[in-house]
């Protein structure tokens, strides 16, 4: 039970920002929100993670709602290389990553 | 972040045999995990590899079928025992330095059982 809800797929135009939503309405106070992506024929790749505050790194930004029941992964300028399956995962007790179905992101040139 | 070397990258095995997959991390990590990914599907967690003690298996996975070793903080192995064609899949290992850290994944082992 991944305990997060994501859209099955999304589409974006190249060079435009992408906002990938994730719902985690039953999140516990100590659960982290992690995002990973998986390109075709590769293992998952870490993107970003956070607890309460918004987070930025060179790959993306993570915006966490004030009540922590949802979050949004922001890719500031999508490129064709960003086409992948994006997974939003709650990490809590036991520190296990349990994957859901994820969101397939398609990027159009 | 940690870098993982996983081998073999692929193998074709006869049914009834066993295959051991190795996962080497370039630095000490607190946690290591093993996953299976069927074609076109998401990842399924097999077990948590515990250093110095028996692995913790998820529902549907048992030690006799998937024995796991973790002799130290940088290395783990997964054995797929008595293989059948249904075991054909990609197997991946993952590692993390602990709570609040990201997780790194190996590139996977593509197993085909014939």
């Amino acid at each position: 039970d991944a305990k997060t809800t994501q859209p099955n797929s999304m589409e974006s135009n190249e060079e435009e920002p992408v906002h990938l939503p994730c719902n985690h309405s039953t999140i516990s106070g100590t659960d982290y929100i992690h995002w990973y992506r998986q390109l075709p024929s590769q293992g998952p790749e870490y993107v970003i993670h956070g607890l309460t505050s918004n987070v930025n790194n060179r790959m993306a930004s993570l915006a966490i709602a004030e009540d922590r029941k949802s979050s949004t992964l922001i890719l500031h300028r999508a490129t064709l290389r960003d086409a992948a399956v994006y997974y939003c995962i709650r990490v809590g007790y036991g520190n296990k990553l349990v994957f859901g179905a994820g969101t397939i992101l398609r990027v159009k040139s | 972040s940690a870098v993982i070397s996983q081998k073999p990258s692929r193998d074709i095995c006869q049914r009834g045999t066993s295959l051991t997959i190795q996962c080497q991390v370039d630095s000490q990590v607190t946690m290591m995990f093993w996953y299976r990914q069927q074609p076109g599907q998401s990842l399924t967690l097999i077990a948590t590899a515990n250093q110095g003690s028996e692995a913790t298996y998820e529902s549907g996975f048992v030690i006799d079928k998937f024995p796991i070793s973790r002799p130290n903080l940088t290395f783990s192995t997964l054995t797929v025992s008595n293989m059948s064609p249904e075991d054909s899949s990609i197997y991946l290992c993952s590692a993390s330095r602990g709570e609040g850290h990201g997780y790194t994944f190996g590139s996977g082992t593509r197993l085909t059982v014939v």
Side-chain angles (χ1 to χ4, degrees), chain B residues 7-49:
Chain B
K7 55 183 180 183
S9 58
R10 60 178 63 232
D11 207 342
I12 301 174
C13 300
Q14 297 290 323
R15 68 173 67 204
T17 63
S18 298
L19 175 72
T20 295
I21 302 168
Q22 297 182 2
C23 181
Q24 178 72 55
V25 191
D26 69 343
S27 58
Q28 292 187 346
V29 290
T30 305
M31 299 176 291
M32 295 185 74
F33 304 89
W34 287 96
Y35 291 84
R36 181 171 73 184
Q37 186 171 29
Q38 309 277 25
Q41 308 265 328
S42 183
L43 284 77
T44 300
L45 180 62
I46 296 172
T48 302

Side-chain angles (χ1 to χ4, degrees), chain B residues 2 23-24 36 46 50 55 58 64-65 75 87 93 104 109 111:
Chain B
C23 181
Q24 178 72 55
R36 181 171 73 184
I46 296 172
N50 300 309
E58 298 298 307
D64 290 345
K65 177 66 176 177
F75 186 77
D87 295 319
C93 71
T104 304
T109 296
L111 171 63

Side-chain angles (χ1 to χ4, degrees), chain A residues 30 32 34 36 38 41-46 49 87 91 94-102, chain B residues 31 33 35 37 41-43 45 48 58 92 94 98-107 110:
Chain A
T30 55
Y32 282 82
H34 284 237
Y36 293 80
Q38 188 172 26
S41 301
Q42 295 187 26
E45 174 187 27
Y46 169 80
H49 77 284
Y87 297 98
V91 181
N95 295 304
K96 298 184 291 188
L97 284 182
V98 178
F99 285 76
Chain B
M31 299 176 291
F33 304 89
Y35 291 84
Q37 186 171 29
Q41 308 265 328
S42 183
L43 284 77
L45 180 62
T48 302
E58 298 298 307
L92 301 105
S94 175
E99 184 177 308
H101 292 267
Y103 293 64
T104 304
F105 286 80
S107 54
R110 183 179 295 272

